[in-house]
Amino acid sequence: LDLQSWVFFVAFLRAVYEILRPRASPLLLWATLVLLVVAPSVADQLASAEADIPVAAFFGVAGLCAWLWLVEGSGPALLLAAVLSAGAAATKVEGLVFTVALFASLAVVSGIGRPRQAVAPAVAGVAAVGAGLLPWRIWIAHHGIHDQASFGRVTDVSFLAHHAVRAPIAAGYMLVKAFDPRAWLLVLPFALVLLWTGRGRPRRELAFVASTVLIGFLGLLVAYWTTPFPFHYHLAVSARRIITGLVFFLAAVAPLVAAPSAPVGE
């Protein structure tokens, strides 16, 4: 498991390098890679062989591929985004949250003013969720294994109202962990600065990044809001890890947002 985690992380770095190298500033690219490599949270998770690094690697590169489809119209990139997202969804429940966030954002943003453009990412997203989720669901149902995830709690208004205090606590705790310099150094502040410098890019590109992060964050928030485990314990032992996917996504895509816009095909 240790080796697998390292392989995923190294593959993520190489994929980020190959995708960004012809499209982003070398200085920003290398600064991003170095910040990720030396981030204490990455080293901690690699040492623990936890599954959040593989999920984050899948999601981060899937996000880059989705960006390539949105900006450059690359069909193979959309296909690869679906394959990688299926891997994220199959690895952990958080991967399913990230997959839904990615393709929901991509479909809505690409369909603004051009409804037909939303079909391809919507189909790709459904295929990714199906490929990543259905085999596991079938397996646990066949073996009679209790599934800890429950959509019933998500739709139970009474349960949500009774535990409403969890929402602001979980949101604040996750934000603190994401911006904690003892865990991530300046990864997120650096990414946010790059996003700010790229605010002149087309609105749909910025909306794609912002909505993906927002929906992903809200999905994690709902998971804590409806957790069947002791709330504070669950938050304390997992929040530092599950935000890794959003951190990787933002770190990877920020240099592209900061890059000057170019016509499709260049």
Side-chain angles (χ1 to χ4, degrees), residues 9-264:
F9 182 59
V10 172
F12 168 72
L13 295 176
R14 181 58 187 267
V16 171
Y17 173 79
E18 292 295 343
I19 293 173
L20 267 61
R21 182 169 55 89
R23 298 175 175 87
S25 161
L27 177 61
L28 300 183
L29 167 59
W30 282 106
T32 297
L33 294 178
V34 170
L35 282 173
L36 287 170
V37 168
V38 301
S41 184
V42 170
D44 178 58
Q45 293 181 57
L46 288 173
S48 303
E50 293 165 321
D52 299 274
I53 289 290
V55 169
F58 278 132
F59 175 56
V61 182
L64 287 177
C65 292
W67 171 276
L68 295 183
W69 183 83
L70 180 67
V71 177
E72 301 179 7
S74 172
L78 181 63
L79 176 61
L80 186 56
V83 173
L84 293 168
S85 295
T91 304
K92 288 193 72 177
V93 174
E94 294 90 270
L96 174 61
V97 171
F98 297 149
T99 297
V100 171
L102 181 66
F103 284 99
S105 299
L106 189 61
V108 170
V109 170
S110 61
I112 295 177
R114 303 174 299 173
R116 291 185 179 181
Q117 285 290 99
V119 174
V123 171
V126 171
V129 171
L133 198 62
L134 285 180
W136 172 246
R137 294 289 180 179
I138 293 171
W139 189 89
I140 62 174
H142 178 72
H143 289 80
I145 298 175
H146 174 67
D147 185 15
Q148 295 171 347
S150 173
F151 290 104
R153 290 191 299 273
V154 177
T155 57
D156 187 341
V157 177
S158 176
F159 180 90
L160 293 175
H162 183 69
H163 296 87
V165 69
R166 291 178 172 181
I169 296 175
Y173 195 83
M174 284 191 291
L175 287 173
V176 167
K177 290 299 180 182
F179 284 93
D180 186 355
R182 297 169 300 176
W184 292 104
L185 302 178
L186 297 176
V187 173
L188 278 189
F190 182 68
L192 293 178
V193 169
L194 296 187
L195 294 177
W196 175 255
T197 62
R199 62 190 183 279
R201 293 193 70 95
R203 290 184 179 179
R204 66 179 190 140
E205 298 171 12
L206 299 176
F208 163 67
V209 176
S211 59
T212 298
V213 173
L214 179 60
I215 296 173
F217 185 83
L218 290 177
L220 298 179
L221 178 61
V222 170
Y224 281 122
W225 193 348
T226 60
T227 179
F229 304 111
F231 172 65
H232 291 285
Y233 171 79
H234 190 192
L235 197 60
V237 299
S238 62
R240 64 179 180 82
R241 296 182 284 105
I242 67 169
I243 47 90
T244 303
L246 297 178
V247 173
F248 274 28
F249 170 76
L250 273 175
V253 78
L256 289 177
V257 177
S261 299
V264 173

